[in-house]
Amino acid sequence: MSPTYVTSLNKDITSSVLNNISINFPTVNIMWIITGKGKPLLEESEEVASDYSFELKRLKLNYDELKEDYLKAIEELALCKDRLRNYESAKTNNVG
C-alpha cells in the first residue's frame, strides 16, 4: 500500500476501528495507518508500549465506571439515611 492510499483511508476510519485493529493486531503501527508514515509493523518494544497504553486506557475506563457507580451508591446511601431518620422521627412522634 502506498502512503497516499493509507492517508486517504483515515478520512473514513473511526477510532473504534483503530482500537479493534490495535487489539487484534498489536504489531500493526496505528500511526502508520493514520498517517502513512513510519513502519507498518511495530518493533517489539513499541508493541509492549502499545499494549501498556491500551491496558492503561482500559483501566481508566474501568476506574471511571467504578467511580460513577461509587458516587451513585453514596447518593443512595444518603437517601436511605434520610428515610431512616424520617421514619425514626415519625415513630418517636407517634409514640408520645
Side-chain angles (χ1 to χ4, degrees):
M1 281 188 255
S2 72
T4 306
Y5 175 73
V6 172
T7 303
S8 72
L9 290 177
N10 74 357
K11 293 178 182 85
D12 300 323
I13 200 163
T14 65
S15 59
S16 175
V17 170
L18 290 171
N19 190 41
N20 285 336
I21 291 170
S22 177
I23 291 168
N24 293 303
F25 305 98
T27 59
V28 172
N29 183 354
I30 297 301
M31 289 309 293
W32 176 79
I33 292 174
I34 295 169
T35 66
K37 296 178 182 170
K39 296 178 182 179
L41 299 178
L42 297 172
E43 302 292 326
E44 187 174 331
S45 61
E46 292 172 320
E47 181 182 339
V48 170
S50 176
D51 288 346
Y52 285 134
S53 176
F54 171 77
E55 185 66 14
L56 184 61
K57 288 176 188 174
R58 189 186 67 76
L59 289 172
K60 173 135 178 35
L61 283 174
N62 286 347
Y63 169 80
D64 290 343
E65 289 172 3
L66 289 172
K67 183 178 177 183
E68 188 175 315
D69 290 346
Y70 170 77
L71 293 174
K72 285 179 185 176
I74 294 295
E75 288 176 11
E76 288 179 27
L77 179 60
L79 289 172
C80 289
K81 285 181 178 180
D82 286 343
R83 288 182 189 145
L84 182 58
R85 277 190 218 107
N86 291 338
Y87 173 77
E88 288 175 345
S89 176
K91 187 176 171 183
T92 302
N93 290 336
N94 288 338
V95 171

